[in-house]
DNA sequence: TTATCAATTGATAATGAATCTAAATTACGA
DNA sequence: TCGTAATTTAGATTCATTATCAATTGATAA
């Protein structure tokens, strides 16, 4: 489970431990992303932060997300459309609603197929995407 | 298994049966894509065809691929980067080489987790992506 | 055949995501 | 406090994709 960084100190430590300078923009981005369950896009994060951080640039958001990814503090999701970012780096899967676009975390299925040898291909990680309708959109 | 359309007649029939006009550009695109195992991008298909079809426009390639997708004759793959198109619409998965980018079809794993009910989410289809290294890149 | 007409095409413009650039700023160890 | 490499920023740039719309064409009916 990923948690929100309560204090700047805590967030700053995370960045420094990863060998990244703890700039105010990075702190803001890290704190905004961590604990966010909605899998925001870079643009969404930017808009959310720009209000309280007028000088922030989109480029910085992209840069920071790339840095955080390198450092295993988040993970990009390619589900079609702009990349989304998941602060939960523990292995898990995703359910995507085909109507409203909601992306929900799914516990890694126990039935998760063993990364079998695919005749020559050495599997590093398996990714599962469940596509369908969320409760709301299924209208249950 | 997907096969190559030997004759234009055959390809034309496929299009008409799907309620699509059998234009020369569509025939060319359908025939180029069918039986292609490389999961080409729209751009790649365009370049391949443009040689023998100078008047072809990229827009037409995109339009046709969208039409073929609607009609279940191919399937777009979002794996990061430009969309790729798979003429194999039978359920199967993909192995993506993280070094060279090769995308290989993988028989739908028998171990494929049952689209379980995800507390409210109704799963329509499950997608698996195996990321790792292909035989060549693993340097075996 | 030929006429008709909606579907389709193609050139280009427009949009959107993401990266690059280069100059100005800044975090942080010495 | 300083020096320096890392970082930020605005804007330009690239690349993928969609939109626009006049001109063309496939399919059908006459």
């Amino acid at each position: 489970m990923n948690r929100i960084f309560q204090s700047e100190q805590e967030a700053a430590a995370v960045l420094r431990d990863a060998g990244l300078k703890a700039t105010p923009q990075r702190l803001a981005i890290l704190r905004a992303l961590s604990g966010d369950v909605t899998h925001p896009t870079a643009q969404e994060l930017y808009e959310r932060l720009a209000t309280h951080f007028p000088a922030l640039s989109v480029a910085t958001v992209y840069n920071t997300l790339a840095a955080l990814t390198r450092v295993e503090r988040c993970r990009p999701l390619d589900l079609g459309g702009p990349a989304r970012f998941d602060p939960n780096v523990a292995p898990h899967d995703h359910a995507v609603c085909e109507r409203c676009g909601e992306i929900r975390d799914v516990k890694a299925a126990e039935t998760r197929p063993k990364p079998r040898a695919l005749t020559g291909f050495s599997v590093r990680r398996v990714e599962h995407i469940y596509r369908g309708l969320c409760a709301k959109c299924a209208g249950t």
Side-chain angles (χ1 to χ4, degrees), chain A:
Chain A
M1 239 31 6
N2 47 321
R3 46 189 298 277
I4 300 155
F5 294 111
Q6 299 298 344
S7 64
E8 294 232 333
Q9 287 69 25
E10 196 181 345
V14 166
L15 290 173
R16 287 205 207 84
D17 289 357
L20 296 170
K21 284 189 182 176
T23 68
Q25 319 40 359
R26 280 177 177 170
L27 290 171
I29 293 166
L30 176 56
R31 294 178 75 193
L33 181 60
S34 93
D36 184 325
V37 223
T38 70
H39 311 86
T41 64
Q43 193 62 40
E44 282 166 0
L45 279 172
Y46 169 70
E47 277 154 20
R48 210 175 301 166
L49 291 169
T51 325
H52 295 290
F53 212 134
L56 186 65
S57 138
V58 242
T60 299
V61 178
Y62 278 102
N63 286 338
T64 298
L65 288 170
L68 291 175
T69 300
R70 252 179 271 120
V71 153
E72 310 267 57
R73 275 289 163 181
C74 72
R75 154 188 175 196
L77 301 179
D78 293 312
L79 302 169
R84 303 190 154 272
F85 293 86
D86 192 336
N88 182 358
V89 291
H92 68 281
D93 302 314
H94 294 99
V96 184
C97 178
E98 290 177 323
R99 162 109 32 92
C100 72
E102 188 201 69
I103 299 164
R104 196 173 106 189
D105 282 1
V106 172
K107 267 202 278 296
E110 326 72 52
T111 48
R112 188 182 256 266
K114 281 272 171 351
R116 310 176 299 160
L118 300 172
T119 42
F121 193 98
S122 81
V123 178
R124 268 194 195 154
R125 56 211 154 77
V126 185
E127 203 174 310
H128 297 219
I129 301 165
Y130 300 88
R131 301 204 184 255
L133 293 177
C134 71
K136 260 180 226 136
C137 291
T140 329

